[in-house]
Amino acid sequence: MEKSFSESYKEAGVDITAGYKAVELMKKHISKTMIFGDTSDVGGFGGLFHLDPADLNDPVLVSGTDGVGTKLKVAFLAGKNDTVGIDCVAMCVNDIICVGAKPLFFLDYIACGKNDPEKIADIVKGVAEGCVQSESALIGGETAEMPGFYPEDEYDLAGFAVGIVDRDKILDKSTVKEGDVVIGLPSSGVHSNGFSLVRKVLDIENADLNAPMKELDGKTLGETLLAPTVIYVQPILKLLQDVKVKSIAHITGGGFYENIPRSLPDGMGVNIHKDAIKKPAIFDLIADRGNIPERDMYNTFNMGIGMTCIVAPEDEEMALRTLRMAGHEAVRIGEVIASDEDRVVID
């Protein structure tokens, strides 16, 4: 590739040599994600992963894809690009574990107005960190330089993950019944959803992202909003070993009202006790600045809970102990109720 160069393409705005440099810079980050099964070389045409289902009776592959959304606008303004990759991985692998699957590998897609090799490497650094946290391999990706389509200093980031689960271990929400316990795992803040609303009410483009704010307990708005999405893979996999988990919900866009019902069978709802949730200060700031009704907040944001798990009452104590030992301050936030209409009741 050292002789691959097109002056005409460069004059059109695409420098292919910058792409080669970016690949070289990101290799050290990608190497940290290599796990058993990863047989890829960086720069090939396809990502390879050797699947050994020896310990599975009837293996099922589970896939998920997502992006970071307009949280990227905050990263652009703050000039911080090394954590949004964690968000990208989190949004994919957190969905995969909701069916009980273990993530295997991940691929990313970066589209930019101008290929800045150092910036691209920073982005991939975050992706690699997300893969390390989720114990998955970064086996490939694509960086597309698209002048005239994206501004020179902006980019988009999306990803795709694949996991595996034994068919008889796939979580079955039909087993959820009245009286079951809803356990919540804390979020790190806004995660990667609702940022179009966040940017509007907090006037992000004109805000001082580096000034400490008393409303945020002395933290800056930039560091608060860019806190990476929590990756719940390792604690959930441990929980699945110790406890019979009936269903899991990843609390993303649509908040409680949209996501929790996806983990419930027809005729079932949940009663959520908001006083049991330790709500990060950023949500009060958003609600106050935007004069946003409480229901809209719970219908847009995670409000401090990034994932919910439903277990039988007799498994509550063990589930809480397992998750806390894994480093997550899990709490009981509600219970399952019989309901055909109000699927989520928050009191």
Side-chain angles (χ1 to χ4, degrees):
M1 291 189 296
E2 66 273 6
K3 294 184 179 180
S4 176
F5 176 74
S6 170
E7 187 65 42
S8 299
Y9 208 7
K10 185 175 182 180
E11 289 178 359
V14 178
D15 184 356
I16 57 178
T17 60
Y20 303 149
K21 182 178 180 182
V23 169
E24 288 302 313
L25 290 174
M26 66 178 71
K27 282 183 177 179
K28 63 181 180 181
H29 304 303
I30 296 173
S31 66
K32 298 176 183 177
T33 75
M34 290 183 179
I35 60 174
F36 177 77
D38 180 4
T39 60
S40 292
D41 289 324
V42 179
F45 286 102
L48 306 177
F49 191 92
H50 175 247
L51 185 63
D52 182 11
D55 58 342
L56 300 176
N57 296 318
D58 189 7
V60 176
L61 294 178
V62 183
S63 61
T65 186
D66 211 333
V68 181
T70 62
K71 181 174 185 174
L72 292 176
K73 286 282 191 179
V74 183
F76 302 157
L77 292 168
K80 184 172 175 57
N81 304 291
D82 61 350
T83 59
V84 289
I86 300 175
D87 293 292
C88 190
V89 176
M91 296 304 293
C92 298
V93 298
N94 284 347
D95 281 353
I96 284 176
I97 59 171
C98 286
V99 299
K102 173 182 172 56
L104 294 174
F105 58 82
F106 187 85
L107 295 93
D108 60 15
Y109 174 78
I110 304 168
C112 56
K114 182 177 177 59
N115 190 331
D116 178 335
E118 285 74 18
K119 179 185 288 186
I120 298 299
D122 260 357
I123 298 168
V124 174
K125 176 183 177 182
V127 174
E129 173 58 26
C131 288
V132 169
Q133 290 184 25
S134 60
E135 297 184 337
S136 54
L138 179 55
I139 65 170
E142 169 69 8
T143 301
E145 190 173 15
M146 302 168 66
F149 196 86
Y150 291 95
E152 283 197 359
D153 58 348
E154 295 190 3
Y155 58 87
D156 198 7
L157 174 62
F160 172 81
V162 171
I164 194 168
V165 62
D166 220 336
R167 186 178 295 276
D168 63 4
K169 296 291 180 63
I170 296 173
L171 300 190
D172 182 5
K173 68 179 182 181
S174 69
T175 63
V176 173
K177 62 182 181 180
E178 187 176 6
D180 283 341
V181 175
V182 182
I183 292 174
L185 281 77
S187 71
S188 59
V190 184
H191 281 183
S192 297
N193 303 103
F195 269 85
S196 293
L197 181 56
V198 170
R199 288 168 43 237
K200 176 184 177 183
V201 300
L202 298 183
D203 191 19
I204 292 299
E205 281 71 15
N206 298 305
D208 186 347
L209 297 179
N210 299 312
M213 299 181 65
K214 64 179 186 300
E215 298 97 329
L216 299 177
D217 303 319
K219 293 183 179 179
T220 70
L221 186 58
E223 67 179 313
T224 300
L225 293 178
L226 288 175
T229 303
V230 176
I231 292 178
Y232 298 102
V233 170
Q234 294 190 46
I236 291 297
L237 289 178
K238 184 66 171 67
L239 181 67
L240 293 171
Q241 292 177 355
D242 294 354
V243 174
K244 173 65 176 177
V245 180
K246 297 189 175 186
S247 69
I248 299 175
H250 183 199
I251 311 302
T252 56
F256 284 55
Y257 288 102
E258 179 178 319
N259 291 290
I260 295 180
R262 295 165 65 183
S263 67
L264 300 171
D266 292 341
M268 292 290 114
V270 293
N271 189 25
I272 300 295
H273 309 298
K274 60 186 179 184
D275 289 345
I277 300 171
K278 186 177 180 181
K279 183 173 56 175
I282 184 62
F283 294 115
D284 286 332
L285 179 65
I286 294 168
D288 291 345
R289 293 280 184 90
N291 193 27
I292 301 172
E294 183 178 73
R295 192 191 189 286
D296 286 358
M297 291 294 294
Y298 280 92
N299 207 158
T300 306
F301 302 107
N302 67 63
M303 301 302 285
I305 296 295
M307 184 160 282
T308 58
C309 304
I310 296 178
V311 300
E314 60 268 24
D315 291 326
E316 174 188 353
E317 185 177 347
M318 175 62 77
L320 290 173
R321 182 184 305 120
T322 296
L323 291 169
R324 289 169 181 170
M325 288 182 66
H328 294 256
E329 287 302 313
V331 293
R332 174 176 176 160
I333 63 170
E335 55 278 333
V336 176
I337 58 175
S339 179
D340 287 315
E341 296 184 2
D342 295 326
R343 306 295 301 280
V344 178
V345 177
I346 298 176
D347 62 19

